[in-house]
Amino acid sequence: MSAPTWLVLGASSSIARAFALEAAAQGCNVILAGRDRDDLDHGASDVRIRHNVAVAVVDFDAEVVDTHDAFVGEVTGLSTGFGTGPLNVFLAFGLMPDQSAIDGDPDQAQRTIMATYAGAVSVLHRLAPILEKQGSGHVVALGSVAGDRGRIKNYVYGSAKAGLHAYLQGLRNRLFRSGVTVTTVKPGFIDTTMTWGMPGLFLVASPQACARACLRYAAKGAEVRYFPAFWWIIMTIIRSIPEPIFKRLSI
């Protein structure tokens, strides 16, 4: 069997870029998908030069769901052209506007949900039959600790991630029957453009470390993982705070 292929959705993000490079370093082919074509082309050249694997770029917009059938068809053709290795999926897109901006413009709430949750369901549900048919492979999707409990600072984004967590749980049950693993990764604070300039961040991890961890989780067939792992302890504490107390906090 030839090398596996990783489809990287949201490939312009810092974690996705690091993931593509780490996967290619392991000999995997890569399909980069996202909205910023110039950035994707640059990233593809970087991967190709460093690791000499097959790389392709495909336009993808999570919010434009009526393009997802054609997108999945193009990805399937590219993966088949790379060889007989299985197609794997790394999902790394989302939209996290400042909560105060959403509170002032409710249309941004709908866009956050589309870009973070509904778009993810749309594309994963179209990829699922392909993964079932091949009978192997991995799906790794970035959730968030924000999805573990609604907080005043980001409750719309958190609700979208909570929905994604529940969807992935069900998808895991479905694809398990076909030999495909689904891993939900809940990162804490990562040094990315999404978190740049945010106040109050601590114990910030690098995108490269997160990408390497995601590949390890996929290889082990892990189900749900916090990254770094100590976030499991932090979120267990936060989830245990009684609601009458929690609603008075500004965490």
Side-chain angles (χ1 to χ4, degrees):
M1 181 179 290
S2 56
T5 294
W6 277 97
L7 167 62
V8 182
L9 295 162
S12 291
S13 76
S14 301
I15 298 174
R17 276 199 208 101
F19 185 92
L21 285 168
E22 293 289 340
Q26 295 183 9
C28 299
N29 304 312
V30 179
I31 300 173
L32 304 178
R35 294 186 300 182
D36 188 339
R37 186 72 186 213
D38 289 342
D39 184 79
L40 295 178
D41 286 339
H42 182 268
S45 297
D46 192 25
V47 171
R48 199 176 290 116
I49 290 169
R50 291 196 197 196
H51 299 296
N52 193 31
V53 297
V55 186
V57 171
V58 184
D59 294 320
F60 171 73
D61 190 329
E63 297 178 66
V64 187
V65 295
D66 60 359
T67 65
H68 289 184
D69 280 326
F71 168 76
V72 169
E74 185 174 0
V75 166
T76 304
L78 286 167
S79 178
T80 302
F82 286 167
T84 57
L87 176 67
N88 306 303
V89 181
F90 181 64
L91 188 149
F93 60 78
L95 181 65
M96 188 177 66
D98 185 82
Q99 184 62 48
S100 62
I102 296 176
D103 293 342
D105 178 8
D107 287 346
Q108 289 205 40
Q110 182 177 358
R111 188 166 175 231
T112 300
I113 292 167
M114 279 299 300
T116 307
Y117 172 66
V121 172
S122 172
V123 70
L124 288 176
H125 229 63
R126 286 168 168 80
L127 288 164
I130 296 163
L131 299 172
E132 287 177 317
K133 185 176 181 181
Q134 74 182 12
S136 64
H138 308 288
V139 176
V140 178
L142 295 184
S144 173
V145 296
D148 275 14
R149 188 158 194 183
R151 299 185 296 120
I152 192 170
K153 291 183 177 179
N154 63 0
Y155 58 91
V156 172
Y157 174 76
S159 71
K161 285 297 188 182
L164 180 62
H165 296 168
Y167 173 79
L168 292 169
Q169 191 172 32
L171 186 67
R172 182 178 306 118
N173 292 354
R174 171 182 169 181
L175 296 185
F176 165 76
R177 291 159 171 76
S178 302
V180 180
T181 67
V182 177
T183 304
T184 304
V185 180
K186 300 181 181 182
F189 298 138
I190 308 294
D191 184 15
T192 68
T193 54
M194 187 178 280
T195 59
W196 188 85
M198 290 176 64
L201 300 189
F202 57 94
L203 299 173
V204 178
S206 72
Q208 291 76 19
C210 185
R212 288 191 291 271
C214 288
L215 280 166
R216 287 199 305 273
Y217 301 152
K220 294 178 180 177
E223 292 154 352
V224 181
R225 290 289 186 272
Y226 289 82
F227 179 82
F230 60 74
W231 275 96
W232 178 83
I233 299 172
I234 294 173
M235 295 314 299
T236 298
I237 294 169
I238 289 177
R239 285 196 306 271
S240 69
I241 299 173
E243 198 68 21
I245 298 173
F246 192 75
K247 69 183 180 185
R248 290 176 168 80
L249 303 178
S250 298
I251 60 176

